[in-house]
Amino acid sequence: MTRVFFLVVLALATAAGGAHAQSNSRDGRPERRDPIFLRFPEMAQRYWVNTETMAASHKAVAIPLPRQCAFVYADSYTRGQMSEREVQETAVSACNRKLAELGPLGENYTVKCQCQVVISDNSYLVPRDIMPDQAYGPVSIFYRDNQGSIARLNGTARYGALIGHDRSVTFTVDNIKAEPVCEGTFTNESTGAGRFSLSCFNGKFGGKGSYDSRLGAPNDHIVGRGQTAAGQPIVLVIGLPAQLAANMYGGI
């Protein structure tokens, strides 16, 4: 009787453990509509559609963490006899290189952005709750004040990933202290272009104009140009660190 009871308990424990493992496995598997793939459609194409890379024996995706740093990525797929670890190391190395090429991040972030493998062989290696839940990136807002001098606000932006596909996408801007300072909307009018509106400091400052998405110059980013409520020029740049954004667009 004791032996029968023991076997029943063991069977129940095994079944429960198996169910728990299946649940964890399911929760840990990436999905095509996960925010990271919506944010980087070219990565999604290689991961889910391209037959050569999709069928690779090992594949890895690396992004900078924490999530507000995730404005670049690197993916790596097996070549020759590469092991899973070698594929992961290749992804991290490429991610670090991309991040370094864009210049210093200290004007946008007080946290340290570090590249890390987040997906390997069709499983998440980090908890889902630390993954980006929207699109993130550094932001700089350049504008002329009432005296005609150029002022600048740096920080990070958070927005819906499908700019250019969804008709309307909201975004928020936090300053370098992670304090919310602005909110706005992108309204799509054509592929990768449309109108934007921006309101900051509880409505004390704002602007509106047109935006377009720019690919790989040197990093995918969004540029909005328009006017403040006072009729002065304003430029919004999302996806480039402050120093690079200033060099490219800070002259207004």
Side-chain angles (χ1 to χ4, degrees), residues 5-28:
F5 176 77
F6 173 77
L7 291 174
V8 170
V9 171
L10 180 62
L12 290 174
T14 301
H20 181 67
Q22 288 177 2
S23 175
N24 283 345
S25 176
R26 183 173 62 252
D27 292 343

Side-chain angles (χ1 to χ4, degrees), residues 42-246:
E42 63 278 14
M43 180 179 73
Q45 176 74 16
R46 284 191 294 273
Y47 197 95
W48 299 104
V49 179
N50 184 292
T51 55
E52 182 180 357
T53 50
M54 185 178 64
S57 56
H58 299 298
K59 48 187 177 180
V61 174
I63 59 172
L65 291 175
R67 69 179 70 183
Q68 62 266 37
C69 298
F71 67 103
V72 300
Y73 78 94
D75 52 356
S76 180
Y77 299 85
T78 300
R79 292 181 179 179
Q81 300 299 313
M82 292 174 68
S83 67
E84 181 181 7
R85 181 170 181 174
E86 288 172 324
V87 173
Q88 292 177 0
E89 291 172 347
T90 299
V92 171
S93 177
C95 177
N96 282 325
R97 184 172 61 254
K98 287 184 178 182
L99 208 57
E101 288 172 350
L102 295 175
L105 302 177
E107 293 184 69
N108 299 95
Y109 298 98
T110 55
V111 299
K112 186 175 182 180
C113 299
Q114 293 184 301
C115 288
Q116 181 177 339
V117 175
V118 294
I119 298 174
S120 182
D121 288 359
N122 213 30
S123 294
Y124 278 111
L125 300 189
V126 299
R128 278 181 177 269
D129 59 5
I130 73 168
M131 288 289 292
D133 53 355
Q134 295 186 65
Y136 292 80
V139 61
S140 294
I141 301 172
F142 307 95
Y143 59 95
R144 291 193 180 274
D145 59 24
N146 293 333
Q147 287 72 45
S149 300
I150 297 177
R152 180 172 66 174
L153 171 65
N154 298 325
T156 58
R158 181 176 71 253
Y159 56 99
L162 291 179
I163 291 179
H165 294 83
D166 290 350
R167 170 62 177 166
S168 180
V169 171
T170 59
F171 67 94
T172 60
V173 173
D174 291 352
N175 63 19
I176 194 171
K177 298 179 181 178
E179 301 166 334
V181 291
C182 304
E183 57 185 18
T185 302
F186 291 110
T187 303
N188 181 40
E189 293 181 338
S190 62
T191 302
R195 308 290 298 175
F196 80 92
S197 62
L198 176 71
S199 177
C200 304
F201 310 115
N202 296 318
K204 296 178 182 178
F205 170 78
K208 58 183 179 179
S210 59
Y211 80 88
D212 63 279
S213 299
R214 303 190 180 183
L215 303 179
N219 188 54
D220 295 354
H221 58 282
I222 300 164
V223 180
R225 296 182 181 274
Q227 290 186 325
T228 67
Q232 296 287 349
I234 183 172
V235 175
L236 166 73
V237 183
I238 299 177
L240 297 179
Q243 183 173 310
L244 184 56

